[in-house]
Amino acid sequence: MAQNGSNSTVKLLGAWSSPFALRGRVALHLKSVEYEYIEEADVLNSKSDLLLKSNPIHKKVPVLIHGDVSIFESLNIVQYVDESWPSKPSILPSDPKDRATARFWAHFVDGKCFESIDAVAGAKDEDGRMAAAGSLMECLAALEEAFEKSNKGGDFFGGQNIGYVDIACGAILGPLSVIEAFSGVKFLNPDMIPGLVQWAERFTAHEAVKLYMPTVAEFVEFAKQKFNV
């Protein structure tokens, strides 16, 4: 177990299907933090009393409970874990400029990328779907360029080790697999974004990720239940 300045218990409230809860699990695994994982059993239809008590504002997973403190929002949780358990490996870069760049791309993922994914999924007609798909491809192309500039010859955005941007980007892989399955469009296309495709394969195969990442079939089945299709 990784050591820090507190002996407080650690719990993570999540849902297996949540790409955002995945971020917390990966961060805790990387830091070798011993914690109790609490699954929201029926996330589509109900919320547990513990979740409502722990996150009364948003009422959603993930929530990290460290002693008597509750931490919300997945990227915030990842930063908290990195700072509270300062043992190696570091998740955020030590250089202030690199940290700022990493935060920019993480927010780009949660903003532009997820907006584009939602737009593809929610398009009402073919014209709207094509426009949304084009916007999503632009987002992925931007991530491809960011990866090439930041990997320093390594396998990940953070270089040789999984870092903050990797954990942020990893959250889009499940939703991407779902819209690929429903639309028939291959967004992670090795002919267009080869670096990002290879990165995705390495990320999902990493020991800190593969234990918690659902299969494509599981993601698709969950989406069918969620959207009644």
Side-chain angles (χ1 to χ4, degrees), residues 24-33 35 206-209 211-212:
R25 303 204 76 176
V26 172
L28 289 164
H29 187 112
L30 287 172
K31 290 292 187 173
S32 300
V33 177
Y35 69 101
H206 193 281
E207 62 178 10
V209 179
L211 295 173
Y212 317 114

Side-chain angles (χ1 to χ4, degrees), residues 1-11 28-36 66 85 87-88:
M1 177 178 177
Q3 299 296 315
N4 72 324
S6 170
N7 293 321
S8 300
T9 58
V10 181
K11 301 177 181 179
L28 289 164
H29 187 112
L30 287 172
K31 290 292 187 173
S32 300
V33 177
E34 184 176 316
Y35 69 101
E36 178 185 0
H66 187 194
W85 288 272
S87 58
K88 298 292 184 181

Side-chain angles (χ1 to χ4, degrees), residues 33 37 46 66 84 92 98 102 104 125 180 189 203 218 221:
V33 177
Y37 176 71
S46 64
H66 187 194
S84 296
L92 279 122
D98 291 340
F104 169 83
D125 53 41
E180 285 184 341
N189 188 328
F203 179 82
E218 289 170 333
E221 184 59 32

Side-chain angles (χ1 to χ4, degrees), residues 121-195:
K124 302 301 183 183
D125 53 41
E126 188 61 23
D127 287 344
R129 187 173 296 105
M130 291 299 293
S135 177
L136 178 54
M137 286 306 304
E138 289 177 2
C139 289
L140 296 176
L143 290 177
E144 169 86 0
E145 183 176 353
F147 173 73
E148 295 299 337
K149 289 182 177 179
S150 67
N151 65 33
K152 301 173 183 176
D155 291 336
F156 302 102
F157 282 89
Q160 292 297 338
N161 300 310
I162 285 180
Y164 188 63
V165 182
D166 299 286
I167 295 174
C169 289
I172 68 173
L173 297 178
L176 275 176
S177 69
V178 171
I179 61 171
E180 285 184 341
F182 283 110
S183 69
V185 178
K186 189 67 174 174
F187 289 98
L188 285 174
N189 188 328
D191 293 329
M192 301 181 68
I193 47 173

